[in-house]
Amino acid sequence: MCSGAKVTFAALLCGVLLLAESRPLSAADHGDMGYLAGISRNDARITDFFAFTHGDNLVLALCTNPAIPPGMTEYLYASDLTLEFSIDRHSKVRYDDPDDLDQFGGTIVRPQAVTADCRLRVTFDDEGDPHLETDGIADKYLSELQLFAGLRDDPFIRAPRAGRNIAAVVLEFPLKAVLKKDETLLLWATTSVPDVNGPIGDHGGRALRSMFINPSNVLTPKQQFLQLGIVPDVVILDVCQPMGLPNGRVPTDDVIDIVEDYPLGSFDDDAPFPEENDVPFLGEFPYLAPPQ
Amino acid sequence: MPAGSRGPLAVLAASFALLLGTVASSVPPGAPAPHHQRPCTAPDDVESRIRFYSAQVADHPRRYPTLALLGKAYLDRVRWTGDARDLASARDCLERSIAIQPNLEAYKVLAATANYSHRFEVALRWCYLAADAAPGDPEILAMRTEALLALDRPDDVALLLEKIESPVKSFHALACRGMLSAVRDDRAGALADFESAGRSADELGTVELRVWARIASAALFLDHGQPANAEPWLRAAGQISPDDYDLQVHLAEFEEGTAREREALARYEHLLTLRCDAEVHRRACLLARRLGQQGKAADHYVAAERLWRAALDPGEVFPLEGLAKLYCDAGRNLDEAITLAVRNLEYKRDASARETLKRAVELRSRH
């Protein structure tokens, strides 16, 4: 009796087939949460997180969904997706350790105390219109806040992301809305969607960190330190220093070149390496290039 | 009945046909219901997903990712129930999802649904769209391979593998190349690839993939009538996941091949308490008939035929080959078996499909 027909790929595709293998091309948190892909929520996978200042403003940009079909000209965010930007403005950071400075942008003095003082939470209604809620930010600053949500060119400059789009939420608002005494902010972003066994999501901090250390993507920065013993995955932003990795992250940062502790070593696949994004970034809000 | 006037197969077929007419009405009180009357249900986790996502979609009908997830849940359910309405529900959810916004998730599940329902040309179209969105996705590679092999296009699989992954080293690519080698009768090559796929799956730690690779290796030997060589692979799969459904099916084949037919039949019947599987009913019918258990054989025959007919009548095509085989096994409805097998070749053109037609024609010519 021929059994060949029974050994079909049906068994490969039934249920959740998570492939835990890391993909070298998925750098800079480029949709590294295989679990989200495994349960078919690519729209909640973080591809990039940027944090920088522009003049007197703070700019936060969260890119998601590495699997948007080419040719789309509009993007509808799902109404069960929550994107949250978190800002810790109380943690002290030292800059006297050159290794920490290179790898993380500084040394967080008390990693066990990293918590959000301010939060900006973006959700969407059934028509895809964004709604913003904030914690720890005075209302008087919200009138100056700009919010963009929609398709943008993928800012990751390496092939094969050239010509591909992602979904981006970009916020720009006065720096003084979040900055108190210190000049340093710790920033990170998360996504969350409800699922049968409870909410699931992704974490975006400093590029090329949490994606390689399981299960840091599902832990808060404080939990990452307490449970895994790793430096919390956050962006350290000293607002008085020039912008660009390791200080914050701007769209033009080629993280593969810059991040010295990239666990997978050098990245030779698309040599000669591109020097810049295939589409120029904008010099003004929302900064990320228009979709292709 | 003299052997010269009608062969043993015809005699069995005649007595079997009589039994078919009586099996539905002759269940003693207190006895388990015949297989064709037993309800088909899916496991709790599938049903809870359907409930959860259905509730979400009821309140938020434009939530396209949830529609895709609901479609996936219905596809998972049909693997247990064999109910064509679940396939229709899956398609409906997925098409609604992409109508709201094209998305990779719905494309992939549409491809999987098309493969399941033997609409392999359709599956390829969905795979192309999915591959556009996620070029390196190994599950898309696997689905394309499944569809291409079913359409008897092994050379296209070879080209695809060369284009997507060279050298081949990931689990899915190894599994695909192994399937290609098996179809080309390169058993040594297939075994080497399945072994490598198994090692890759071990590194990934994914139970389903680890078991699949071992079962695939075992199947190479079972298909060639060498059950003894299959045993180590089946044992290895059993150490990883002893209750795996596909493993149990192959264990039953192993038992058949090693003259343990009663055990094989018992195993098939146990599996049928878990899933409504027309193909397993067909195998059980064959076995029961060989063992002289005509009542049981008739029960399985009716169950298989009803499951397949229930899907065929509203327009599904995946039952064509199985139903043709069922009729050939029983030596009845051979004209219809030929019709079914011919029609099957419009959708499926692999060796199994061609053999089914050939067998139906040969049997018909003898009658």
PDB file of all heavy atoms in Angstrom, chain A residues 3-4 7-8 12-15 17 19 39-40 42 76 79 126 164 195, chain B residues 53 60 63-64 69 72 79 101 105 133 138-139 143 212 223 250 253:
ATOM      1  N   SER A   3       2.222   4.585   0.769  1.00  0.00           N
ATOM      2  CA  SER A   3       1.997   5.543   1.844  1.00  0.00           C
ATOM      3  C   SER A   3       2.544   6.905   1.501  1.00  0.00           C
ATOM      4  O   SER A   3       2.389   7.836   2.254  1.00  0.00           O
ATOM      5  CB  SER A   3       2.671   5.039   3.120  1.00  0.00           C
ATOM      6  OG  SER A   3       4.075   5.036   2.945  1.00  0.00           O
ATOM      7  N   GLY A   4       3.209   6.994   0.331  1.00  0.00           N
ATOM      8  CA  GLY A   4       3.841   8.266  -0.009  1.00  0.00           C
ATOM      9  C   GLY A   4       2.873   9.430   0.043  1.00  0.00           C
ATOM     10  O   GLY A   4       3.188  10.500   0.507  1.00  0.00           O
ATOM     11  N   VAL A   7       2.493  11.078   3.444  1.00  0.00           N
ATOM     12  CA  VAL A   7       3.546  11.931   3.972  1.00  0.00           C
ATOM     13  C   VAL A   7       3.592  13.184   3.134  1.00  0.00           C
ATOM     14  O   VAL A   7       4.441  13.364   2.295  1.00  0.00           O
ATOM     15  CB  VAL A   7       4.911  11.203   3.939  1.00  0.00           C
ATOM     16  CG1 VAL A   7       5.966  12.055   4.621  1.00  0.00           C
ATOM     17  CG2 VAL A   7       4.803   9.863   4.623  1.00  0.00           C
ATOM     18  N   THR A   8       2.617  14.008   3.336  1.00  0.00           N
ATOM     19  CA  THR A   8       2.537  15.226   2.552  1.00  0.00           C
ATOM     20  C   THR A   8       2.984  16.405   3.399  1.00  0.00           C
ATOM     21  O   THR A   8       3.211  16.279   4.592  1.00  0.00           O
ATOM     22  CB  THR A   8       1.089  15.492   2.093  1.00  0.00           C
ATOM     23  OG1 THR A   8       0.299  15.760   3.251  1.00  0.00           O
ATOM     24  CG2 THR A   8       0.545  14.291   1.354  1.00  0.00           C
ATOM     25  N   LEU A  12       3.388  19.660   7.605  1.00  0.00           N
ATOM     26  CA  LEU A  12       4.234  20.821   7.811  1.00  0.00           C
ATOM     27  C   LEU A  12       3.413  22.076   8.036  1.00  0.00           C
ATOM     28  O   LEU A  12       3.890  23.029   8.600  1.00  0.00           O
ATOM     29  CB  LEU A  12       5.129  21.058   6.589  1.00  0.00           C
ATOM     30  CG  LEU A  12       6.265  20.092   6.354  1.00  0.00           C
ATOM     31  CD1 LEU A  12       6.939  20.393   5.038  1.00  0.00           C
ATOM     32  CD2 LEU A  12       7.271  20.163   7.472  1.00  0.00           C
ATOM     33  N   LEU A  13       2.204  22.067   7.533  1.00  0.00           N
ATOM     34  CA  LEU A  13       1.441  23.300   7.539  1.00  0.00           C
ATOM     35  C   LEU A  13       0.300  23.302   8.532  1.00  0.00           C
ATOM     36  O   LEU A  13      -0.324  24.310   8.748  1.00  0.00           O
ATOM     37  CB  LEU A  13       0.898  23.568   6.137  1.00  0.00           C
ATOM     38  CG  LEU A  13       2.023  23.714   5.119  1.00  0.00           C
ATOM     39  CD1 LEU A  13       1.489  23.603   3.716  1.00  0.00           C
ATOM     40  CD2 LEU A  13       2.736  25.037   5.297  1.00  0.00           C
ATOM     41  N   CYS A  14       0.048  22.142   9.132  1.00  0.00           N
ATOM     42  CA  CYS A  14      -1.008  22.098  10.137  1.00  0.00           C
ATOM     43  C   CYS A  14      -0.584  22.881  11.369  1.00  0.00           C
ATOM     44  O   CYS A  14       0.539  22.777  11.820  1.00  0.00           O
ATOM     45  CB  CYS A  14      -1.257  20.653  10.579  1.00  0.00           C
ATOM     46  SG  CYS A  14      -2.537  19.856   9.664  1.00  0.00           S
ATOM     47  N   GLY A  15      -1.540  23.586  11.921  1.00  0.00           N
ATOM     48  CA  GLY A  15      -1.254  24.235  13.188  1.00  0.00           C
ATOM     49  C   GLY A  15      -0.167  25.283  13.093  1.00  0.00           C
ATOM     50  O   GLY A  15       0.099  25.831  12.049  1.00  0.00           O
ATOM     51  N   LEU A  17       3.481  26.354  12.896  1.00  0.00           N
ATOM     52  CA  LEU A  17       4.765  25.784  12.555  1.00  0.00           C
ATOM     53  C   LEU A  17       5.792  26.878  12.661  1.00  0.00           C
ATOM     54  O   LEU A  17       6.123  27.547  11.709  1.00  0.00           O
ATOM     55  CB  LEU A  17       4.713  25.185  11.159  1.00  0.00           C
ATOM     56  CG  LEU A  17       3.821  23.953  11.110  1.00  0.00           C
ATOM     57  CD1 LEU A  17       3.560  23.543   9.694  1.00  0.00           C
ATOM     58  CD2 LEU A  17       4.422  22.811  11.887  1.00  0.00           C
ATOM     59  N   LEU A  19       9.170  28.464  12.889  1.00  0.00           N
ATOM     60  CA  LEU A  19      10.559  28.224  12.576  1.00  0.00           C
ATOM     61  C   LEU A  19      11.391  29.142  13.428  1.00  0.00           C
ATOM     62  O   LEU A  19      11.364  30.351  13.268  1.00  0.00           O
ATOM     63  CB  LEU A  19      10.824  28.500  11.100  1.00  0.00           C
ATOM     64  CG  LEU A  19      10.249  27.501  10.116  1.00  0.00           C
ATOM     65  CD1 LEU A  19      10.803  27.761   8.741  1.00  0.00           C
ATOM     66  CD2 LEU A  19      10.555  26.073  10.520  1.00  0.00           C
ATOM     67  N   ILE A  39       1.933  32.544  14.140  1.00  0.00           N
ATOM     68  CA  ILE A  39       0.486  32.608  14.329  1.00  0.00           C
ATOM     69  C   ILE A  39      -0.135  33.639  13.408  1.00  0.00           C
ATOM     70  O   ILE A  39      -1.227  34.109  13.641  1.00  0.00           O
ATOM     71  CB  ILE A  39       0.086  32.902  15.781  1.00  0.00           C
ATOM     72  CG1 ILE A  39       0.585  34.276  16.207  1.00  0.00           C
ATOM     73  CG2 ILE A  39       0.598  31.839  16.705  1.00  0.00           C
ATOM     74  CD1 ILE A  39      -0.288  34.857  17.284  1.00  0.00           C
ATOM     75  N   SER A  40       0.596  33.984  12.369  1.00  0.00           N
ATOM     76  CA  SER A  40       0.032  34.821  11.310  1.00  0.00           C
ATOM     77  C   SER A  40      -0.345  36.223  11.772  1.00  0.00           C
ATOM     78  O   SER A  40      -1.435  36.704  11.475  1.00  0.00           O
ATOM     79  CB  SER A  40      -1.201  34.135  10.702  1.00  0.00           C
ATOM     80  OG  SER A  40      -0.847  32.883  10.197  1.00  0.00           O
ATOM     81  N   ASN A  42       1.902  39.037  11.179  1.00  0.00           N
ATOM     82  CA  ASN A  42       3.051  39.807  10.717  1.00  0.00           C
ATOM     83  C   ASN A  42       2.857  41.295  10.949  1.00  0.00           C
ATOM     84  O   ASN A  42       3.829  42.037  11.060  1.00  0.00           O
ATOM     85  CB  ASN A  42       3.291  39.557   9.224  1.00  0.00           C
ATOM     86  CG  ASN A  42       4.009  38.255   8.965  1.00  0.00           C
ATOM     87  OD1 ASN A  42       5.180  38.106   9.293  1.00  0.00           O
ATOM     88  ND2 ASN A  42       3.321  37.293   8.398  1.00  0.00           N
ATOM     89  N   LEU A  76      -4.017  49.491   5.919  1.00  0.00           N
ATOM     90  CA  LEU A  76      -5.008  49.512   6.979  1.00  0.00           C
ATOM     91  C   LEU A  76      -4.423  48.803   8.194  1.00  0.00           C
ATOM     92  O   LEU A  76      -4.112  47.613   8.134  1.00  0.00           O
ATOM     93  CB  LEU A  76      -6.283  48.796   6.509  1.00  0.00           C
ATOM     94  CG  LEU A  76      -7.406  48.649   7.524  1.00  0.00           C
ATOM     95  CD1 LEU A  76      -8.028  50.007   7.827  1.00  0.00           C
ATOM     96  CD2 LEU A  76      -8.479  47.689   7.004  1.00  0.00           C
ATOM     97  N   SER A  79      -7.566  46.779  13.839  1.00  0.00           N
ATOM     98  CA  SER A  79      -8.153  47.491  14.978  1.00  0.00           C
ATOM     99  C   SER A  79      -7.904  46.802  16.317  1.00  0.00           C
ATOM    100  O   SER A  79      -8.334  47.297  17.356  1.00  0.00           O
ATOM    101  CB  SER A  79      -9.664  47.667  14.762  1.00  0.00           C
ATOM    102  OG  SER A  79     -10.284  46.402  14.605  1.00  0.00           O
ATOM    103  N   ASP A 126     -11.960  50.762  13.348  1.00  0.00           N
ATOM    104  CA  ASP A 126     -12.242  49.808  12.282  1.00  0.00           C
ATOM    105  C   ASP A 126     -11.994  50.383  10.886  1.00  0.00           C
ATOM    106  O   ASP A 126     -11.881  49.633   9.924  1.00  0.00           O
ATOM    107  CB  ASP A 126     -13.686  49.305  12.382  1.00  0.00           C
ATOM    108  CG  ASP A 126     -13.856  48.318  13.529  1.00  0.00           C
ATOM    109  OD1 ASP A 126     -12.852  47.671  13.900  1.00  0.00           O
ATOM    110  OD2 ASP A 126     -14.975  48.205  14.065  1.00  0.00           O
ATOM    111  N   ARG A 164      10.899  47.545  -0.898  1.00  0.00           N
ATOM    112  CA  ARG A 164       9.805  47.030  -0.079  1.00  0.00           C
ATOM    113  C   ARG A 164       9.295  48.108   0.862  1.00  0.00           C
ATOM    114  O   ARG A 164      10.025  49.032   1.227  1.00  0.00           O
ATOM    115  CB  ARG A 164      10.274  45.836   0.764  1.00  0.00           C
ATOM    116  CG  ARG A 164      10.752  44.650  -0.047  1.00  0.00           C
ATOM    117  CD  ARG A 164       9.668  44.091  -0.955  1.00  0.00           C
ATOM    118  NE  ARG A 164       8.494  43.693  -0.219  1.00  0.00           N
ATOM    119  CZ  ARG A 164       8.307  42.489   0.324  1.00  0.00           C
ATOM    120  NH1 ARG A 164       9.221  41.563   0.198  1.00  0.00           N
ATOM    121  NH2 ARG A 164       7.197  42.210   0.973  1.00  0.00           N
ATOM    122  N   ASP A 195      -4.757  37.369  21.599  1.00  0.00           N
ATOM    123  CA  ASP A 195      -4.841  36.055  20.983  1.00  0.00           C
ATOM    124  C   ASP A 195      -5.520  35.090  21.943  1.00  0.00           C
ATOM    125  O   ASP A 195      -5.807  35.440  23.096  1.00  0.00           O
ATOM    126  CB  ASP A 195      -3.461  35.546  20.565  1.00  0.00           C
ATOM    127  CG  ASP A 195      -3.568  34.464  19.509  1.00  0.00           C
ATOM    128  OD1 ASP A 195      -4.087  34.765  18.413  1.00  0.00           O
ATOM    129  OD2 ASP A 195      -3.169  33.319  19.778  1.00  0.00           O
TER     130      ASP A 195
ATOM    131  N   TYR B  53     -11.896  33.831  17.449  1.00  0.00           N
ATOM    132  CA  TYR B  53     -11.777  34.685  16.271  1.00  0.00           C
ATOM    133  C   TYR B  53     -13.148  35.037  15.698  1.00  0.00           C
ATOM    134  O   TYR B  53     -13.355  36.139  15.201  1.00  0.00           O
ATOM    135  CB  TYR B  53     -10.912  34.006  15.206  1.00  0.00           C
ATOM    136  CG  TYR B  53      -9.487  33.737  15.641  1.00  0.00           C
ATOM    137  CD1 TYR B  53      -8.872  32.520  15.360  1.00  0.00           C
ATOM    138  CD2 TYR B  53      -8.748  34.684  16.342  1.00  0.00           C
ATOM    139  CE1 TYR B  53      -7.572  32.259  15.767  1.00  0.00           C
ATOM    140  CE2 TYR B  53      -7.443  34.429  16.752  1.00  0.00           C
ATOM    141  CZ  TYR B  53      -6.864  33.214  16.465  1.00  0.00           C
ATOM    142  OH  TYR B  53      -5.583  32.953  16.877  1.00  0.00           O
ATOM    143  N   HIS B  60     -15.999  43.143  14.800  1.00  0.00           N
ATOM    144  CA  HIS B  60     -15.108  43.956  13.966  1.00  0.00           C
ATOM    145  C   HIS B  60     -14.908  43.278  12.623  1.00  0.00           C
ATOM    146  O   HIS B  60     -13.873  42.651  12.375  1.00  0.00           O
ATOM    147  CB  HIS B  60     -13.755  44.158  14.664  1.00  0.00           C
ATOM    148  CG  HIS B  60     -13.859  44.768  16.018  1.00  0.00           C
ATOM    149  ND1 HIS B  60     -13.980  46.131  16.219  1.00  0.00           N
ATOM    150  CD2 HIS B  60     -13.889  44.190  17.253  1.00  0.00           C
ATOM    151  CE1 HIS B  60     -14.062  46.358  17.532  1.00  0.00           C
ATOM    152  NE2 HIS B  60     -14.020  45.208  18.170  1.00  0.00           N
ATOM    153  N   ARG B  63     -11.562  43.420  10.516  1.00  0.00           N
ATOM    154  CA  ARG B  63     -10.304  43.026  11.152  1.00  0.00           C
ATOM    155  C   ARG B  63      -9.685  41.894  10.321  1.00  0.00           C
ATOM    156  O   ARG B  63      -9.801  40.704  10.655  1.00  0.00           O
ATOM    157  CB  ARG B  63     -10.552  42.617  12.589  1.00  0.00           C
ATOM    158  CG  ARG B  63      -9.345  42.729  13.497  1.00  0.00           C
ATOM    159  CD  ARG B  63      -9.720  42.510  14.939  1.00  0.00           C
ATOM    160  NE  ARG B  63     -10.090  43.755  15.600  1.00  0.00           N
ATOM    161  CZ  ARG B  63     -10.449  43.843  16.884  1.00  0.00           C
ATOM    162  NH1 ARG B  63     -10.514  42.760  17.617  1.00  0.00           N
ATOM    163  NH2 ARG B  63     -10.769  45.002  17.414  1.00  0.00           N
ATOM    164  N   TYR B  64      -9.002  42.285   9.261  1.00  0.00           N
ATOM    165  CA  TYR B  64      -8.559  41.305   8.264  1.00  0.00           C
ATOM    166  C   TYR B  64      -7.575  40.261   8.801  1.00  0.00           C
ATOM    167  O   TYR B  64      -7.613  39.109   8.352  1.00  0.00           O
ATOM    168  CB  TYR B  64      -7.972  42.028   7.038  1.00  0.00           C
ATOM    169  CG  TYR B  64      -6.689  42.779   7.308  1.00  0.00           C
ATOM    170  CD1 TYR B  64      -5.464  42.173   7.128  1.00  0.00           C
ATOM    171  CD2 TYR B  64      -6.720  44.095   7.763  1.00  0.00           C
ATOM    172  CE1 TYR B  64      -4.286  42.852   7.403  1.00  0.00           C
ATOM    173  CE2 TYR B  64      -5.546  44.776   8.049  1.00  0.00           C
ATOM    174  CZ  TYR B  64      -4.331  44.153   7.867  1.00  0.00           C
ATOM    175  OH  TYR B  64      -3.186  44.831   8.150  1.00  0.00           O
ATOM    176  N   LEU B  69      -6.861  34.430  10.394  1.00  0.00           N
ATOM    177  CA  LEU B  69      -6.671  33.440  11.459  1.00  0.00           C
ATOM    178  C   LEU B  69      -7.879  32.524  11.574  1.00  0.00           C
ATOM    179  O   LEU B  69      -7.743  31.323  11.833  1.00  0.00           O
ATOM    180  CB  LEU B  69      -6.431  34.153  12.791  1.00  0.00           C
ATOM    181  CG  LEU B  69      -5.041  34.803  12.945  1.00  0.00           C
ATOM    182  CD1 LEU B  69      -5.015  35.735  14.146  1.00  0.00           C
ATOM    183  CD2 LEU B  69      -3.980  33.730  13.103  1.00  0.00           C
ATOM    184  N   LYS B  72      -7.713  30.025   8.868  1.00  0.00           N
ATOM    185  CA  LYS B  72      -6.746  28.981   9.216  1.00  0.00           C
ATOM    186  C   LYS B  72      -7.363  27.985  10.191  1.00  0.00           C
ATOM    187  O   LYS B  72      -7.145  26.781  10.095  1.00  0.00           O
ATOM    188  CB  LYS B  72      -5.517  29.649   9.829  1.00  0.00           C
ATOM    189  CG  LYS B  72      -4.471  28.710  10.353  1.00  0.00           C
ATOM    190  CD  LYS B  72      -3.629  28.124   9.246  1.00  0.00           C
ATOM    191  CE  LYS B  72      -2.365  27.464   9.725  1.00  0.00           C
ATOM    192  NZ  LYS B  72      -2.517  26.556  10.837  1.00  0.00           N
ATOM    193  N   ARG B  79      -9.332  19.141   8.798  1.00  0.00           N
ATOM    194  CA  ARG B  79      -8.403  17.997   8.849  1.00  0.00           C
ATOM    195  C   ARG B  79      -8.905  16.942   9.845  1.00  0.00           C
ATOM    196  O   ARG B  79      -8.540  15.781   9.750  1.00  0.00           O
ATOM    197  CB  ARG B  79      -7.006  18.467   9.249  1.00  0.00           C
ATOM    198  CG  ARG B  79      -6.385  19.418   8.234  1.00  0.00           C
ATOM    199  CD  ARG B  79      -4.959  19.757   8.603  1.00  0.00           C
ATOM    200  NE  ARG B  79      -4.457  20.917   7.892  1.00  0.00           N
ATOM    201  CZ  ARG B  79      -4.001  20.903   6.643  1.00  0.00           C
ATOM    202  NH1 ARG B  79      -3.975  19.781   5.960  1.00  0.00           N
ATOM    203  NH2 ARG B  79      -3.558  22.000   6.066  1.00  0.00           N
ATOM    204  N   GLN B 101      -7.868  43.873   2.813  1.00  0.00           N
ATOM    205  CA  GLN B 101      -6.474  44.267   2.547  1.00  0.00           C
ATOM    206  C   GLN B 101      -5.678  43.024   2.163  1.00  0.00           C
ATOM    207  O   GLN B 101      -5.664  42.053   2.919  1.00  0.00           O
ATOM    208  CB  GLN B 101      -5.847  44.913   3.781  1.00  0.00           C
ATOM    209  CG  GLN B 101      -4.361  45.246   3.590  1.00  0.00           C
ATOM    210  CD  GLN B 101      -3.913  46.368   4.486  1.00  0.00           C
ATOM    211  OE1 GLN B 101      -4.198  47.536   4.252  1.00  0.00           O
ATOM    212  NE2 GLN B 101      -3.193  46.005   5.531  1.00  0.00           N
ATOM    213  N   GLU B 105      -0.678  36.470   5.239  1.00  0.00           N
ATOM    214  CA  GLU B 105      -1.262  35.389   6.022  1.00  0.00           C
ATOM    215  C   GLU B 105      -2.403  34.715   5.262  1.00  0.00           C
ATOM    216  O   GLU B 105      -2.476  33.487   5.183  1.00  0.00           O
ATOM    217  CB  GLU B 105      -1.794  35.940   7.360  1.00  0.00           C
ATOM    218  CG  GLU B 105      -0.709  36.425   8.302  1.00  0.00           C
ATOM    219  CD  GLU B 105      -0.202  37.834   8.002  1.00  0.00           C
ATOM    220  OE1 GLU B 105      -0.591  38.441   6.985  1.00  0.00           O
ATOM    221  OE2 GLU B 105       0.617  38.317   8.796  1.00  0.00           O
ATOM    222  N   ALA B 133       5.314  38.640  -1.347  1.00  0.00           N
ATOM    223  CA  ALA B 133       5.320  39.351  -0.063  1.00  0.00           C
ATOM    224  C   ALA B 133       6.422  38.843   0.858  1.00  0.00           C
ATOM    225  O   ALA B 133       6.950  39.590   1.674  1.00  0.00           O
ATOM    226  CB  ALA B 133       3.959  39.198   0.628  1.00  0.00           C
ATOM    227  N   PRO B 138       9.969  29.712   3.957  1.00  0.00           N
ATOM    228  CA  PRO B 138      10.145  28.288   3.627  1.00  0.00           C
ATOM    229  C   PRO B 138       8.824  27.535   3.533  1.00  0.00           C
ATOM    230  O   PRO B 138       8.746  26.524   2.827  1.00  0.00           O
ATOM    231  CB  PRO B 138      10.983  27.769   4.796  1.00  0.00           C
ATOM    232  CG  PRO B 138      10.747  28.716   5.911  1.00  0.00           C
ATOM    233  CD  PRO B 138      10.490  30.041   5.287  1.00  0.00           C
ATOM    234  N   GLU B 139       7.797  28.002   4.221  1.00  0.00           N
ATOM    235  CA  GLU B 139       6.504  27.310   4.123  1.00  0.00           C
ATOM    236  C   GLU B 139       5.918  27.485   2.722  1.00  0.00           C
ATOM    237  O   GLU B 139       5.244  26.589   2.206  1.00  0.00           O
ATOM    238  CB  GLU B 139       5.539  27.838   5.190  1.00  0.00           C
ATOM    239  CG  GLU B 139       5.969  27.424   6.598  1.00  0.00           C
ATOM    240  CD  GLU B 139       5.056  27.977   7.673  1.00  0.00           C
ATOM    241  OE1 GLU B 139       4.359  28.966   7.432  1.00  0.00           O
ATOM    242  OE2 GLU B 139       5.057  27.415   8.787  1.00  0.00           O
ATOM    243  N   MET B 143       4.798  24.536   0.112  1.00  0.00           N
ATOM    244  CA  MET B 143       3.487  24.448  -0.546  1.00  0.00           C
ATOM    245  C   MET B 143       3.637  24.416  -2.058  1.00  0.00           C
ATOM    246  O   MET B 143       2.894  23.698  -2.751  1.00  0.00           O
ATOM    247  CB  MET B 143       2.612  25.624  -0.113  1.00  0.00           C
ATOM    248  CG  MET B 143       2.146  25.508   1.323  1.00  0.00           C
ATOM    249  SD  MET B 143       0.855  26.680   1.777  1.00  0.00           S
ATOM    250  CE  MET B 143       1.786  28.205   1.900  1.00  0.00           C
ATOM    251  N   TRP B 212       8.022  14.586  11.374  1.00  0.00           N
ATOM    252  CA  TRP B 212       7.757  14.503   9.933  1.00  0.00           C
ATOM    253  C   TRP B 212       8.958  13.907   9.199  1.00  0.00           C
ATOM    254  O   TRP B 212       8.813  13.043   8.332  1.00  0.00           O
ATOM    255  CB  TRP B 212       7.442  15.892   9.374  1.00  0.00           C
ATOM    256  CG  TRP B 212       7.003  15.863   7.937  1.00  0.00           C
ATOM    257  CD1 TRP B 212       5.730  15.821   7.466  1.00  0.00           C
ATOM    258  CD2 TRP B 212       7.861  15.854   6.774  1.00  0.00           C
ATOM    259  NE1 TRP B 212       5.735  15.783   6.091  1.00  0.00           N
ATOM    260  CE2 TRP B 212       7.015  15.805   5.643  1.00  0.00           C
ATOM    261  CE3 TRP B 212       9.237  15.880   6.586  1.00  0.00           C
ATOM    262  CZ2 TRP B 212       7.511  15.789   4.348  1.00  0.00           C
ATOM    263  CZ3 TRP B 212       9.741  15.855   5.294  1.00  0.00           C
ATOM    264  CH2 TRP B 212       8.878  15.810   4.192  1.00  0.00           C
ATOM    265  N   ASP B 223       6.824   2.237   1.209  1.00  0.00           N
ATOM    266  CA  ASP B 223       6.350   2.325  -0.173  1.00  0.00           C
ATOM    267  C   ASP B 223       6.958   1.248  -1.060  1.00  0.00           C
ATOM    268  O   ASP B 223       6.382   0.873  -2.067  1.00  0.00           O
ATOM    269  CB  ASP B 223       6.692   3.694  -0.776  1.00  0.00           C
ATOM    270  CG  ASP B 223       5.725   4.778  -0.342  1.00  0.00           C
ATOM    271  OD1 ASP B 223       4.733   4.417   0.318  1.00  0.00           O
ATOM    272  OD2 ASP B 223       5.962   5.946  -0.654  1.00  0.00           O
ATOM    273  N   HIS B 250       1.219   5.400   9.711  1.00  0.00           N
ATOM    274  CA  HIS B 250       2.342   4.646   9.148  1.00  0.00           C
ATOM    275  C   HIS B 250       2.675   3.407   9.974  1.00  0.00           C
ATOM    276  O   HIS B 250       3.140   2.400   9.430  1.00  0.00           O
ATOM    277  CB  HIS B 250       3.558   5.562   8.977  1.00  0.00           C
ATOM    278  CG  HIS B 250       3.418   6.509   7.833  1.00  0.00           C
ATOM    279  ND1 HIS B 250       2.684   7.672   7.910  1.00  0.00           N
ATOM    280  CD2 HIS B 250       3.870   6.445   6.555  1.00  0.00           C
ATOM    281  CE1 HIS B 250       2.704   8.293   6.743  1.00  0.00           C
ATOM    282  NE2 HIS B 250       3.416   7.566   5.904  1.00  0.00           N
ATOM    283  N   GLU B 253       0.453   0.829   8.660  1.00  0.00           N
ATOM    284  CA  GLU B 253       0.988   0.287   7.404  1.00  0.00           C
ATOM    285  C   GLU B 253       2.116  -0.699   7.684  1.00  0.00           C
ATOM    286  O   GLU B 253       2.241  -1.733   7.021  1.00  0.00           O
ATOM    287  CB  GLU B 253       1.530   1.415   6.538  1.00  0.00           C
ATOM    288  CG  GLU B 253       0.471   2.220   5.827  1.00  0.00           C
ATOM    289  CD  GLU B 253       1.082   3.090   4.749  1.00  0.00           C
ATOM    290  OE1 GLU B 253       1.826   2.568   3.917  1.00  0.00           O
ATOM    291  OE2 GLU B 253       0.805   4.301   4.775  1.00  0.00           O
TER     292      GLU B 253
END
